[in-house]
Amino acid sequence: MAEALVETQGLVKEYRLGPHVVHALRGVSVRMRRGEFVAVMGPSGSGKSTFMNLLGCLDTPTAGRYLLDGEDVSHLSRDTLARIRNQKIGFVFQGFNLLPRISALENVELPLLYDGTPPSERRPKARAKLEAVGLADREHHHPAQLSGGQQQRVAIARALVNNPLLVLADEPTGNLDSRTSVEVMALFQELNRNGITIVLVTHEADIAQYAARALSFRDGKVIQDQPVAEPKDAEALLATLPPLEVEA
Ligand code: ADP
Ligand code: MG
C-alpha cells in the first residue's frame, strides 16, 4: 500500500481537569491516502474535534503516534508543529473566522504573511485561490458585505493559499442554510476532484453523503469506517434547486 498521508496508531488523548481525567480519544488508528474525502461523524462529545486538532497539529496526543506524510509529528515542539501546520494544513471552521476589517483578498493572503512568502507573491497567489472558489469579483468586499456562503468560500480560499497537503474542516456548513450548504459541498467536491485531500466533520448524515468515506466516532473511538455507498453529487443536486436569492 502506498504511504499514507495520514496514519494514526492507537491515538489517545486525555484531558486533566483537576482530579478528573477526560478520555477524549481512546485509541484511534486510521489511515488516509492522498486524494481522499473523509467525513467524520459522531454525537457531541465523541472526540471529533479532539481528533481534528491532533490531525491539524494543533495539539499532541497523550499516547499513540501520528504520522503526517510519513513524518512522526506526535511529539514535536509547539514551534515545529506551527511550521508544519502553516506548510501542510489548511483549516476551515464553522464560524468562517475571517477578519472583519480587511477585504476578502487580504483575508486570503493572511497565511502567507506567516510563512515568509515575499510580498510581491502574496497577492497573485491569494487572487488565484479566490478565483478558484468563484469569488474573483468580490476581492475588495469586506466579510460583512458577503453572504454566509461567500464568506465560507473566502475561508476555503484562505485554507488553500499555501497549497496544503490536507484540508481540515470542522462543521463547515454548521452556520449555513441547506442550499448554501450544498453549494459549499459542491466546492469541496470540486476541490477533491482536483486532488485535494479533505477531512470534514459534520453531525449531519446528509452532508456526510458528499464524502467518499465516513468515519463514525463514539466515546473516543472509531466505531465505523466505511466507503459512502453512493456519494451524492452536490453540483447535480444544485441544478435541480431553484436559486434562493439573487446575488447582488
Ligand atoms: P466532539 O467534537 O465530538 O463534540 P470533543 O473532541 O470536543 O468532541 O470532546 C471530546 C471529549 O473531550 C468531551 O467529553 C469533551 O468535554 C472533552 N474535552 C474536549 N476538549 C477539552 C479540553 N480542552 N479540556 C477538557 N476536556 C475537553
Ligand atoms: Mg466538536
Side-chain angles (χ1 to χ4, degrees):
M1 186 178 184
E3 190 174 79
L5 176 59
V6 163
E7 176 163 5
T8 73
Q9 301 169 347
L11 219 50
V12 169
K13 182 69 183 179
E14 294 169 354
Y15 295 107
R16 262 155 229 289
L17 288 177
H20 303 287
V21 177
V22 179
H23 300 277
L25 292 182
R26 298 171 184 262
V28 171
S29 302
V30 293
R31 293 168 64 97
M32 298 176 194
R33 288 171 290 102
R34 275 174 194 254
E36 284 206 67
F37 187 175
V38 181
V40 172
M41 311 269 307
S44 177
S46 59
K48 305 181 298 294
S49 293
T50 301
F51 178 66
M52 295 293 272
N53 288 345
L54 292 175
L55 291 194
C57 297
L58 289 161
D59 205 352
T60 50
T62 309
R65 295 214 306 162
Y66 171 29
L67 295 106
L68 172 62
D69 198 26
E71 180 184 6
D72 189 343
V73 298
S74 317
H75 305 291
L76 299 178
S77 69
R78 293 176 70 92
D79 286 355
T80 310
L81 284 178
R83 188 167 44 71
I84 290 173
R85 206 158 60 227
N86 287 339
Q87 289 170 351
K88 301 198 170 178
I89 298 167
F91 295 92
V92 180
F93 305 95
Q94 176 170 358
F96 320 140
N97 293 20
L98 300 175
L99 294 186
R101 297 188 188 285
I102 61 176
S103 69
L105 185 62
E106 288 165 330
N107 267 284
V108 177
E109 278 180 47
L110 275 182
L112 301 175
L113 288 177
Y114 306 123
D115 81 341
T117 303
S120 61
E121 291 176 23
R122 286 180 207 147
R123 191 127 298 188
K125 283 188 177 179
R127 212 165 249 147
K129 297 306 177 193
L130 264 188
E131 209 174 298
V133 301
L135 285 178
D137 58 343
R138 297 292 195 277
E139 65 173 52
H140 299 301
H141 287 54
H142 285 209
Q145 299 171 306
L146 299 170
S147 69
Q150 289 171 334
Q151 290 182 58
Q152 194 56 299
R153 276 145 71 190
V154 173
I156 292 168
R158 181 186 55 190
L160 296 173
V161 77
N162 279 329
N163 296 318
L165 282 174
L166 180 62
V167 170
L168 301 177
D170 199 344
E171 298 277 4
T173 63
N175 282 346
L176 302 174
D177 64 71
S178 49
R179 186 200 159 88
T180 308
S181 296
V182 180
E183 287 174 2
V184 164
M185 295 314 294
L187 176 57
F188 278 121
Q189 286 189 324
E190 182 193 338
L191 296 171
N192 178 247
R193 276 196 300 275
N194 293 331
I196 309 241
T197 310
I198 301 167
V199 184
L200 181 150
V201 170
T202 180
H203 64 270
E204 295 171 82
D206 57 321
I207 291 293
Q209 298 297 307
Y210 295 103
R213 172 179 172 189
L215 289 182
S216 293
F217 278 73
R218 180 173 287 259
D219 299 331
K221 286 190 199 138
V222 174
I223 56 161
Q224 201 172 61
D225 178 359
Q226 58 188 33
V228 173
E230 276 183 65
K232 288 198 286 189
D233 179 341
E235 200 64 60
L237 178 59
L238 280 175
T240 69
L241 297 175
L244 258 194
E245 53 186 331
V246 179
E247 285 199 7

